[in-house]
Amino acid sequence: MRKWKIALGTAVALGAISVASVHLLDMGNLSLNASTAGAAPAPKAFVMPVPVVNVVKKTLPIYLDYAARVEPIRSITLQARVPGYLQEQTAQDGSDVKQGDLLYRIATEDYQAALDQAKAQVERDTATLDYARSNLGRGTDLAKAGYLAKDSFDQRTSNLRSAEAALLLDKAAVRTAELNLGYAEIKAPFPGRIGRNQASVGTLVSVAGTVLNTLVQLDPIYVTFNPSETDLVQIEQARAAGPIAVDVLLPGETEPSQKGQLTFIDNTIDHSTGTITARATIGNAKFTLLPGQYVRVRLHVKEQPNTLMVPQVALGSSQLGKYLYVLGKDNTVDQKLVSLGPTDGDLISVTSGISESDQVITGNLQKIGPGMPVSPLPQPKPAS
């Protein structure tokens, strides 16, 4: 009987514990449901915004680009044609001069005296010629009357011819003296720029032995370069269609500052380098180009229509080659391998890999990859 009571008490206690546990569990569920109902919804995943641009279709000018050097059309050494003491330098070192400008003057006293002497000789021999002419006239009348021997008449004729020859010689001496006097002034034979003086005032200069200065022509000027023999075919085809325009770019320039035309291609290819010498004539009114300067030249050889162009900043590079990210289906990223052609400013031509309808991603390229969802930014409207 005692054991039965103990068992019955144990069962009652266990039942109470079970009821309490169920009650506590229900209370916990009610509390959890209430907490979940009051929480905010989970945030959406971040989608990278990216700028996109349309593919540009345009006619692309095709250029051949070369390193080049500037050369003068004319460059001479200034030297005296007559000896004497250098009296004056009338043009400053490095000055720009016109044709006929006086550059140097040699002392002229000796040459002026020689000219005066030659003119005096002309006056003297003119008088001698006049007398010989009159004497021959009288002799002619006397010879006709029989009062003058033939030998005397011939002598008067000879004197007249000698006087005429002497006068011609004197006039030639006058012209020589005038030339020498003119040579004492050294003038610019063509417009250009003189260099540094090499003979001080007072120097005794000799004929073709003393260098005074140098003079170079700057406008127009030559730009010489060396195309390869493989480029020669394109150049000749372009020449057959008309004059080839040439752009000159100074170091650091992205746009040409001078323009000219291709005017010379040599007749022999250098077998050691596989190149040929070519030359363009460039207008240089502002004297921006100087002989010896290194520049770059671009030959406009043809036009390439319907060329697809994209911004160069959109290009990526991998082990497989150059690629572009374009906007794909449902605003995801597509990667397209491309083949590239010539550039035009900030754009580069694409010969294969994309179509005209593609939208190219140009920004945040390091933060995206193939298949990622992106948010395309609206394209800026062109300026009106």
Side-chain angles (χ1 to χ4, degrees), residues 325-376:
Y325 285 142
V326 300
L327 198 63
K329 184 179 180 181
D330 298 328
N331 289 341
T332 57
V333 177
D334 282 348
Q335 184 184 47
K336 292 191 174 183
L337 296 175
V338 293
S339 299
L340 304 176
T343 61
D344 183 22
D346 295 332
L347 301 178
I348 186 167
S349 61
V350 180
T351 58
S352 65
I354 63 171
S355 64
E356 187 180 355
S357 61
D358 284 331
Q359 289 185 297
V360 179
I361 300 173
T362 60
N364 290 331
L365 301 178
Q366 302 298 325
K367 302 176 182 178
I368 60 176
M372 287 182 57
V374 291
S375 175

Side-chain angles (χ1 to χ4, degrees), residues 26-232:
D26 291 340
M27 292 297 291
N29 289 337
L30 289 174
S31 176
L32 179 60
N33 291 336
S35 174
T36 304
K44 295 181 179 180
F46 175 74
V47 178
M48 178 65 64
V50 291
V52 296
V53 297
N54 292 328
V55 176
V56 177
K57 187 176 183 180
K58 60 182 293 187
T59 297
L60 178 66
I62 302 300
Y63 296 98
L64 297 177
D65 190 272
Y66 303 101
R69 59 193 177 277
V70 182
E71 296 179 350
I73 292 179
R74 287 184 286 185
S75 177
I76 63 169
T77 299
L78 295 174
Q79 294 177 295
R81 299 184 66 173
V82 292
Y85 286 97
L86 188 62
Q87 187 178 52
E88 184 182 7
Q89 178 186 354
T90 57
Q92 297 299 318
D93 292 359
S95 59
D96 299 320
V97 298
K98 300 182 181 65
Q99 183 175 355
D101 283 356
L102 180 63
L103 307 180
Y104 290 91
R105 181 181 287 112
I106 295 173
T108 61
E109 292 82 359
D110 292 343
Y111 301 107
Q112 184 63 54
L115 177 59
D116 294 341
Q117 183 179 1
K119 289 181 177 180
Q121 287 285 99
V122 169
E123 294 295 329
R124 185 192 65 182
D125 289 342
T126 298
T128 301
L129 177 60
D130 291 341
Y131 173 76
R133 189 174 289 119
S134 298
N135 196 30
L136 179 60
R138 291 191 298 270
T140 301
D141 296 336
L142 293 174
K144 289 180 179 180
Y147 294 107
L148 185 64
K150 187 176 186 308
D151 182 67
S152 298
F153 179 78
D154 292 342
Q155 182 64 42
R156 294 187 183 191
T157 302
S158 176
N159 291 340
L160 175 63
R161 291 179 178 176
S162 296
E164 290 173 343
L167 185 60
L168 291 175
L169 186 61
D170 294 340
K171 290 181 178 179
V174 169
R175 288 195 295 272
T176 300
E178 289 174 341
L179 287 174
N180 289 336
L181 183 61
Y183 292 153
E185 292 185 341
I186 300 170
K187 299 180 180 180
F190 53 83
R193 178 176 295 175
I194 63 171
R196 183 178 58 185
N197 179 50
Q198 300 182 45
S200 301
V201 172
T203 300
L204 179 62
V205 298
S206 59
V207 177
T210 305
V211 175
L212 304 179
N213 211 319
T214 57
L215 175 66
V216 296
Q217 179 178 334
L218 297 181
D219 182 30
I221 202 164
Y222 287 146
V223 175
T224 302
F225 53 99
N226 300 97
S228 66
E229 57 183 323
T230 55
D231 291 344
L232 187 59

